[in-house]
Amino acid sequence: MKLLVLNGPNLNLLGQREPDLYGHETLADIENTLRRQALDNGIEIDFLQTNHEGELIERIHAARQESDAIIINPAAWSHTSVALLDALNAFEGQVVEVHLSNIHKREAFRHHSYISARADGVIAGLGSFGYQAAMEFLLR
Ligand SMILES: O=C(O)[C@@H]1C=C(O)[C@@H](O)[C@H](O)C1
């Protein structure tokens, strides 16, 4: 399996940004944990974090030929982006949506995610374990 892990805007600040909500681990910490989990399970893994919506969309387009499954934390674009939903609707593999925080316990504008209309599974509020749980789901 070739797994693609995508992270949206401001997640490059993990560890510094609102740690009470998003934790103290850096994105590099999270990616390193996932890299080890992937190695232990014999799967290829690739990562992209971007603050540019078009770059994320174009990486999803490329994944149509390159990746078997996607784990995505769309961050704020969860709540705004039909374009990102449309890109994921053009991807035929499994998609798991991850949110570090429980978006349903937060501001009302975070309660809806456009991406959930495409996701095969949605994980929210488990912190960085959500990414690991998503990989376990895809490996089952
Ligand atoms: O919990 C998270 O990982 C999500 C991350 C963000 O940056 C927010 O904009 C989302 O609303 C929640």
Side-chain angles (χ1 to χ4, degrees):
M1 180 202 298
K2 292 185 179 179
L3 176 60
L4 176 61
V5 181
L6 299 174
N7 280 289
N10 303 300
L11 294 174
N12 54 300
L13 296 179
L14 285 177
Q16 312 161 48
R17 170 195 176 210
E18 299 181 271
D20 292 348
L21 277 172
Y22 301 114
H24 293 272
E25 289 176 282
T26 66
L27 184 59
D29 294 332
I30 292 170
E31 290 181 352
N32 287 336
T33 299
L34 295 174
R35 203 170 269 114
R36 282 195 302 275
Q37 185 181 0
L39 186 64
D40 292 348
N41 287 280
I43 64 173
E44 293 181 48
I45 192 166
D46 200 3
F47 301 92
L48 174 68
Q49 182 281 325
T50 183
N51 298 316
H52 305 281
E53 189 172 357
E55 183 179 13
L56 190 59
I57 285 170
E58 287 172 358
R59 186 68 182 83
I60 293 168
H61 293 172
R64 299 176 69 235
Q65 278 79 40
E66 296 172 0
S67 303
D68 300 303
I70 292 174
I71 295 172
I72 182 167
N73 182 342
W77 293 328
S78 309
H79 319 301
T80 61
S81 182
V82 175
L84 196 51
L85 170 61
D86 288 347
L88 289 167
N89 280 335
F91 176 78
E92 294 182 353
Q94 288 202 289
V95 175
V96 182
E97 178 182 355
V98 175
H99 303 282
L100 292 156
S101 66
N102 181 352
I103 57 175
H104 304 292
K105 282 177 71 173
R106 301 184 61 191
E107 304 96 326
F109 67 82
R110 298 186 198 272
H111 294 176
H112 174 261
S113 167
Y114 286 99
I115 310 313
S116 299
R118 167 62 180 85
D120 297 287
V122 182
I123 301 170
L126 301 187
S128 63
F129 179 73
Y131 293 95
Q132 298 170 56
M135 192 185 305
E136 285 301 315
F137 168 78
L138 292 168
L139 284 166
R140 80 202 184 286

